[in-house]
Amino acid sequence: MLQAINDLISKGVFDKVAESQPAASVVVRPEERPIAQQPTIEKVWNCIVDKDVGIIGLYGLGGVGKTTLLTQINNKFSTRPNGFDVVIWALVSNGYDIGKIQNKIGGNIGFSAESWKNKSVEEKAVDIYGVLRIKRFVVLLDDLWERVDLN
């Protein structure tokens, strides 16, 4: 048996034995490219790919570039290997409705039927959890004005 294995190894080409992991499933968004944000983008990106980091908050006064930064981070998922299965973008805005946020998240993971959108907040939470609990994912929430209960 060892001789057969050695024969196969000598005949094979093993320069590449595995493919690189594909980039996360992400919807690329139009973006501006301010050069000055590059160090901040890299700092945030390093936190995202750090397995010990669970939640990252970007905050500041209106107009300082938080949405632009978040857009660039979102788009980076489409070009860099990162270990995430899905990237979800949701615009929250002032006076948010948790059901609408769930609809945006649900749409990104395959729940888009009207029947699903008519479920209760609790039912949607169970459905979303059922899908995301077996995936490595990122949820990017833009324009938050207050704490959102992610449970």
Side-chain angles (χ1 to χ4, degrees):
M1 182 66 98
L2 288 175
Q3 184 58 43
I5 291 171
N6 286 331
D7 290 344
L8 289 172
I9 289 173
S10 68
K11 294 177 186 174
V13 178
F14 299 102
D15 295 337
K16 187 173 185 180
V17 295
E19 294 293 324
S20 300
Q21 185 172 8
S25 172
V26 60
V27 175
V28 177
R29 302 176 61 82
E31 65 180 273
E32 298 175 23
R33 273 274 181 214
I35 307 280
Q37 282 191 335
Q38 197 58 37
T40 306
I41 292 168
E42 288 305 317
K43 189 174 182 180
V44 173
W45 182 258
N46 290 335
C47 290
I48 289 171
V49 295
D50 183 340
K51 297 203 184 314
D52 294 329
V53 175
I55 296 176
I56 301 167
L58 305 173
Y59 59 92
L61 297 172
V64 297
K66 299 177 297 295
T67 298
T68 300
L69 177 64
L70 203 59
T71 300
Q72 292 175 357
I73 292 295
N74 175 79
N75 293 350
K76 192 180 272 285
F77 282 102
S78 70
T79 60
R80 279 203 187 168
N82 51 63
F84 290 96
D85 300 313
V86 64
V87 177
I88 300 163
W89 177 287
L91 181 64
V92 178
S93 296
N94 201 1
Y96 74 93
D97 174 347
I98 195 70
K100 288 181 182 177
I101 297 170
Q102 288 175 320
N103 287 343
K104 291 174 185 174
I105 293 171
N108 277 278
I109 59 175
F111 297 119
S112 57
E114 281 304 314
S115 60
W116 186 81
K117 290 181 181 177
N118 291 329
K119 285 186 173 186
S120 72
V121 168
E122 292 78 18
E123 292 171 318
K124 289 178 186 177
V126 169
D127 290 348
I128 291 169
Y129 177 74
V131 171
L132 293 183
R133 72 182 175 84
I134 59 171
K135 296 191 180 290
R136 191 142 187 265
F137 64 94
V138 174
V139 177
L140 303 171
L141 301 176
D142 189 27
D143 201 21
L144 287 174
W145 287 72
E146 58 189 78
R147 179 177 168 75
V148 173
D149 181 3
L150 298 176
N151 287 324

